[in-house]
Amino acid sequence: MPHTVSPYLAEGPRVGIRHFTQDDAAEFSARVRESLDLHRPWLFPPATAEAYAAYAGRLIEDEDRAGYLVCDRDDGAIAGYININNIVRGAFLSGALGYGAFAHAAGRGLMKEGLNLVVGHAFGPLGLHRLEINAQPGNTASLALARSCGFRLEGYSPGMLYVDGAWRDHERWALTAEMRTSG
């Protein structure tokens, strides 16, 4: 029986993660437009093919970023995305996570599975030691995802990031490779 090569970097029971490609523009931007009510006021991912091209280009080309699409293994549909931004090598070996689910996949546990796959990839092949999530205090879904994947609350940063026209407070959540291996 011939062996088929998986399109995914890592797979779980229901999702696989893979890198962004420019060919994903139509589906990704359509999913963003379908998910505006879910994302606002927390996220502003690219809603047009042109904006997606620039966004994906940065994730594909910049060594200090890594972008992953979380895809439903049943049909390959994009369920969400997880990016590792501001990757620092050397003694720090750290990155900052950003993510978003799409409306058709929200609340189904797909992003939890995807985030666990990305964390495993980050601490494995990418060789990172620490990942950080910064989420606005009112973004209960994002905070619940961080908590459910074993991230610990480390602090509160007033006026940390400029989002939707204002400097927004954020909670800082982190996970290290040792925390993950110790359970």
Side-chain angles (χ1 to χ4, degrees):
M1 181 172 246
H3 178 70
T4 58
V5 176
S6 172
Y8 302 114
L9 298 166
E11 296 178 54
R14 297 182 302 150
V15 303
I17 59 168
R18 65 177 176 82
H19 289 295
F20 280 71
T21 72
Q22 290 296 349
D23 292 337
D24 296 309
E27 181 183 359
F28 188 95
S29 57
R31 298 279 186 209
V32 168
R33 291 188 302 274
E34 294 166 0
S35 304
L36 291 177
D37 290 341
L38 176 66
H39 292 163
R40 300 298 190 257
W42 320 112
L43 299 173
F44 295 84
T48 66
E50 297 77 19
Y52 173 88
Y55 177 82
R58 289 188 299 271
L59 291 168
I60 293 166
E61 297 167 15
D62 188 342
E63 293 180 6
D64 297 333
R65 299 173 194 234
Y68 304 93
L69 295 173
V70 177
C71 300
D72 188 320
R73 288 186 57 206
D74 285 340
D75 59 8
I78 300 171
Y81 60 95
I82 301 168
N83 301 329
I84 307 175
N85 299 299
N86 306 320
I87 295 173
V88 179
R89 304 283 180 193
F92 199 37
L93 292 175
S94 181
L97 291 172
Y99 47 78
F102 291 125
H104 76 283
R108 296 175 38 207
L110 302 178
M111 288 301 290
K112 179 179 179 179
E113 189 175 320
L115 182 54
N116 279 317
L117 292 171
V118 169
V119 167
H121 188 73
F123 291 157
L126 286 183
L128 298 180
H129 172 259
R130 175 186 167 85
L131 294 169
E132 188 168 309
I133 293 171
N134 296 291
Q136 294 177 56
N139 189 344
T140 56
S142 185
L143 296 173
L145 180 58
R147 187 179 301 108
S148 74
C149 289
F151 285 73
R152 70 174 172 225
L153 179 62
E154 290 193 332
Y156 184 84
S157 298
M160 180 180 188
L161 292 174
Y162 195 77
V163 179
D164 195 25
W167 289 98
R168 308 289 179 183
D169 301 345
H170 282 71
E171 291 184 12
R172 292 187 325 278
W173 293 74
L175 182 68
T176 64
E178 293 85 3
M179 288 168 60
R180 185 166 167 100
T181 57
S182 70

